[in-house]
Amino acid sequence: MIFPYIFLFFLMTAYLYAAEDFVSLPVEEGGEYEKGIRATKHNLAEYKGKFLNPNIAGEYNLALCMWCHTQNIDVTFVDVEYKWDPEKEVDKFPVYGQTKKGPVLKSVAPSSMVCLSCHDGANAPNITFGKSSTGTSVHSHPVFVIYRKDRKYLRPYNSPLIGWEGKKHFVYDLIKDYNGRLQCASCHDPHTTNPLFLRSKNRGSKLCTGCHAL
Amino acid sequence: MSRKIIGKVLVLFVIGIFIYSCGGAKKPQKIEKVFWPLPPEEPRILYLGSYHGESDFKGRSALDVLLGEPEREIPKNLIKPYGVAARFGRILAGDTVAAVVFVIDPKGKKVSFIGDKAMGKLRIPVGIDIDKEGKVYVADARNQRVFVYDLKGKFKTAIGEPEGPGKLERPAGIAINEKNQRLYVVDVMDHRVKVYSLVDGKFLFAFGKRGRNPGEFNFPTNIAVDRRNGNVAVVDTMNFRVQIFNQDGKFLRTFGKLGIVPGTFARPKGIGIDSEGHIYVADAAFNNVQIFDDKGNLLLWIGKFGFGPGEFNLPAGLYVDRADRIYVADSMNKRVQVFQYLSEAWKKKYPEKYRELKLYKPSNLKKTQEK
């Protein structure tokens, strides 16, 4: 008499567990990104077939992701006490130039801050931008600048990008999330296996001609 | 008639506002004292100032700005500093874009450069330290050497061997221990700390390897020497921790892990140790500096994202000099920020400044330092 209910209870529990698993590890997306990360230099975790991180030892997907997707990690509060200021409120740190209200800087998106936090010349190859003190440009390609669609040699917003990765179909897709400014992630995808982590293989300058018209 | 007057008044008002806004931008703002922690507690860290490069000393006068006179010479300023060091009243900041070391002399009000000449030309200067003879050691990440100069920028020698265990693959942070005459160099790509003799520049030994266990590293970057006992603290950036070794490379202890709560790290970079053994760790993801005691207990953290005094935008290198001043290379703000640790010695030396801080009650304290 009671057995069907017990059976149903177990079934429900199993379903809930399964659903939770599915939510925390998106298989399709994660699989694709994971392949890209694992095969490239952005795989900071793996060394001689072992995963290195001391905090997340077993969980496979997170071990590849948490280097950059730090803010998504839930870290339970350890007993924190500021010995020099016991009254101070203990709270999470906002990461990569964001506050609770959102990003502070309009020009540099938090996603670019993630790139810059490692690519400083010491940890990883340096990203240089801006003008040097002598006035000459020292970077390879302008970044954090406004895409001027009315400029000569620059394609309009609605010109298509063919074969670009990551839902970039038109020029406007490169800048629409970043206040109209070019960011690192406009042309680079850290998860891809393309050379230089470009969003499209640059054969015949295909990537360049996505935006630049001759 | 009256309408005309109103019109004139309006025009004057608009012009007045325009002029006011122009002047307001150039007017030196009244600088509030910035220090941590907030008043009822004992003050510990005081903000002293920021240095950008030549424009700190070659500022155009207000008249020049008003008349729109062109600048005669473009001042050479920091673009993206990483390493920082200070001694003999000079602040040294290595710029990874301009590829020189800025020698900022706040008293003499001038800036000179190291590594811009053909002999000993720098490409990516990272770690910097100075010994008591005034020799400047600069680790160059791309040249795979530690260059030695004098304070005037004359190239002396290079440390680092072309082959074998003494070869540097990508040197980053360096630290000098004057008591045992050793130079500690962190090799990021080799995941080791390599130790050289200061006397003849010979390779002595290395410690660590890639891994996650105590005493092993994953992309370590910076290092500091505890001047009291010779211990070295290494920032193990991609293991998100700080490891402490004795002067011979024997592992002592570790603290920190990945996280976004106080006491954890996400991109730990610069490190420094003051005369009382407090460890300062700059974190580029949090844009702050966390302060620990020598056992690894969190004491306080300072700073947040921003552009004002005591606010950071991707802090990189950190250095604590012998007078307990803390120098932080604030890389994306293109400056070096200087703080003072208010030690007992400092309080005795400057009792009036200390009393001033104890009694200080600024109006907008809550705004400038978010509690």
Side-chain angles (χ1 to χ4, degrees):
Chain A
M1 191 68 180
I2 202 164
F3 283 114
Y5 290 100
I6 291 174
F7 183 71
L8 199 71
F9 172 72
F10 274 115
L11 208 71
M12 282 298 288
T13 331
Y15 173 76
L16 278 177
Y17 267 98
E20 210 163 64
D21 264 1
F22 185 74
V23 168
S24 63
L25 304 170
V27 178
E28 262 176 61
E29 271 193 354
E32 197 182 298
Y33 285 147
E34 192 193 299
K35 213 196 288 167
I37 290 283
R38 261 194 103 166
T40 60
K41 282 186 177 177
H42 285 158
N43 179 359
L44 301 167
E46 205 170 336
Y47 178 62
K48 290 184 181 168
K50 278 183 187 167
F51 285 98
L52 287 174
N53 188 265
N55 306 305
I56 306 163
E59 286 175 54
Y60 180 69
N61 276 28
L62 278 175
L64 288 168
C65 311
M66 51 98 218
W67 309 88
C68 302
H69 296 270
T70 312
Q71 69 196 94
N72 302 338
I73 288 176
D74 178 50
V75 182
T76 42
F77 281 82
V78 229
D79 284 335
V80 180
E81 188 198 356
Y82 307 112
K83 290 209 171 154
W84 284 356
D85 193 1
E87 304 285 303
K88 192 171 174 135
E89 197 185 320
V90 175
D91 201 357
K92 278 186 194 171
F93 289 135
V95 287
Y96 304 124
Q98 287 171 299
T99 60
K100 280 167 192 160
K101 288 172 197 162
V104 177
L105 262 182
K106 288 249 160 59
S107 55
V108 185
S111 70
S112 299
M113 286 285 183
V114 182
C115 307
L116 289 165
S117 72
C118 275
H119 286 268
D120 56 4
N123 263 66
N126 202 5
I127 299 175
T128 59
F129 52 88
K131 284 201 169 142
S132 84
S133 46
T134 48
T136 51
S137 179
V138 285
H139 51 72
S140 56
H141 190 278
V143 66
F144 315 132
V145 293
I146 293 171
Y147 187 94
R148 295 180 194 275
K149 56 180 175 180
D150 50 340
R151 272 283 167 86
K152 228 178 173 184
Y153 309 124
L154 276 183
R155 289 188 196 276
Y157 279 168
N158 60 357
S159 61
L161 305 166
I162 300 149
W164 281 45
E165 284 174 17
K167 289 179 186 167
K168 309 279 179 196
H169 307 299
F170 300 98
V171 167
Y172 186 61
D173 291 339
L174 304 179
I175 49 166
K176 68 176 177 192
D177 297 335
Y178 313 120
N179 295 318
R181 283 171 191 270
L182 277 181
Q183 302 290 333
C184 308
S186 298
C187 303
H188 295 278
D189 181 0
H191 310 97
T192 178
T193 47
N194 287 345
L196 297 170
F197 297 98
L198 291 172
R199 283 198 178 270
S200 159
K201 287 202 174 73
N202 200 11
R203 186 172 291 160
S205 302
K206 207 176 85 188
L207 182 109
C208 307
T209 52
C211 301
H212 294 273
L214 294 171
Chain B
M1 185 69 187
S2 67
R3 194 173 283 172
K4 244 183 190 175
I5 287 171
I6 287 172
K8 273 182 186 170
V9 165
L10 259 177
V11 165
L12 273 177
F13 185 69
V14 167
I15 289 173
I17 279 188
F18 179 72
I19 288 174
Y20 179 78
S21 63
C22 282
K26 299 284 175 201
K27 211 191 287 173
Q29 287 177 327
K30 187 184 170 257
I31 295 160
E32 292 276 343
K33 274 203 164 52
V34 179
F35 60 99
W36 297 265
L38 292 169
E41 306 295 335
E42 183 76 14
R44 306 277 185 173
I45 308 286
L46 172 68
Y47 170 80
L48 292 181
S50 305
Y51 296 96
H52 301 80
E54 285 186 344
S55 66
D56 293 335
F57 313 119
K58 278 188 186 167
R60 291 193 296 164
S61 69
L63 197 69
D64 284 354
V65 175
L66 204 70
L67 297 174
E69 276 200 14
E71 288 184 62
R72 268 144 266 154
E73 206 181 316
I74 304 159
K76 293 192 185 80
N77 284 339
L78 292 165
I79 304 168
K80 199 180 175 196
Y82 190 103
V84 63
R87 205 171 184 179
F88 310 114
R90 291 184 178 90
I91 302 165
L92 280 77
D95 197 304
T96 54
V97 175
V100 288
V101 173
F102 284 63
V103 184
I104 301 167
D105 184 357
K107 269 193 189 148
K109 299 206 168 192
K110 60 176 188 246
V111 180
S112 58
F113 300 95
I114 288 177
D116 54 346
K117 297 177 194 78
M119 275 292 281
K121 179 127 185 63
L122 290 165
R123 289 164 84 186
I124 299 185
V126 181
I128 309 175
D129 210 341
I130 318 170
D131 72 0
K132 59 172 177 267
E133 292 154 22
K135 275 198 263 180
V136 181
Y137 295 78
V138 184
D140 192 304
R142 193 167 292 169
N143 280 331
Q144 305 184 320
R145 290 281 194 284
V146 176
F147 290 151
V148 188
Y149 306 86
D150 66 8
L151 262 175
K152 282 174 189 155
K154 193 168 173 260
F155 176 68
K156 291 199 150 155
T157 177
I159 295 174
E161 292 165 10
E163 284 297 321
K167 182 181 190 291
L168 292 164
E169 282 185 39
R170 191 193 283 163
I174 60 172
I176 282 173
N177 187 346
E178 284 183 337
K179 279 188 191 141
N180 61 10
Q181 289 289 304
R182 277 177 185 170
L183 171 70
Y184 295 84
V185 184
V186 182
D187 196 332
V188 182
M189 294 311 274
D190 203 20
H191 311 278
R192 273 182 182 81
V193 175
K194 292 172 179 171
V195 187
Y196 297 83
S197 165
L198 277 186
V199 184
D200 51 5
K202 279 226 173 71
F203 174 70
L204 299 176
F205 64 94
F207 57 91
K209 59 172 182 170
R210 192 167 184 192
R212 53 188 273 190
N213 297 321
E216 297 176 344
F217 302 113
N218 195 21
F219 298 96
T221 48
N222 286 280
I223 191 167
V225 168
D226 191 338
R227 295 189 188 102
R228 302 173 305 164
N229 49 21
N231 287 351
V232 291
V234 184
V235 181
D236 192 1
T237 302
M238 288 307 175
N239 276 331
F240 310 102
R241 62 184 176 184
V242 172
Q243 298 195 63
I244 297 166
F245 300 84
N246 76 359
Q247 56 185 348
D248 299 317
K250 189 175 167 283
F251 174 77
L252 297 178
R253 56 187 169 269
T254 172
F255 64 87
K257 59 176 192 167
L258 174 71
I260 53 170
V261 296
T264 62
F265 302 111
R267 286 287 181 281
K269 283 191 182 175
I271 189 166
I273 304 177
D274 69 16
S275 64
E276 293 175 13
H278 303 123
I279 301 173
Y280 302 76
V281 185
D283 196 303
F286 306 149
N287 293 301
N288 68 9
V289 174
Q290 297 187 67
I291 306 163
F292 301 86
D293 68 8
D294 52 3
K295 300 282 179 298
N297 302 313
L298 183 63
L299 301 170
L300 191 73
W301 57 269
I302 60 168
K304 57 175 178 156
F305 183 85
F307 321 103
E311 296 179 333
F312 301 102
N313 188 356
L314 290 178
L318 191 150
Y319 187 84
V320 181
D321 73 359
R322 281 150 186 83
D324 285 337
R325 278 187 291 266
I326 305 144
Y327 302 82
V328 186
D330 193 359
S331 68
M332 287 277 279
N333 280 339
K334 303 167 198 272
R335 63 181 177 179
V336 173
Q337 290 197 60
V338 189
F339 303 89
Q340 173 74 51
Y341 167 60
L342 307 180
S343 60
E344 292 303 320
W346 188 89
K347 287 172 195 167
K348 265 182 202 155
K349 204 173 171 189
Y350 306 101
E352 283 180 10
K353 279 190 193 172
Y354 176 57
R355 205 177 310 130
E356 201 183 325
L357 279 185
K358 284 287 269 185
L359 299 172
Y360 195 71
K361 282 199 185 74
S363 52
N364 57 350
L365 192 76
K366 283 253 161 72
K367 271 184 209 163
T368 50
Q369 302 174 2
E370 238 174 66
K371 190 165 179 174

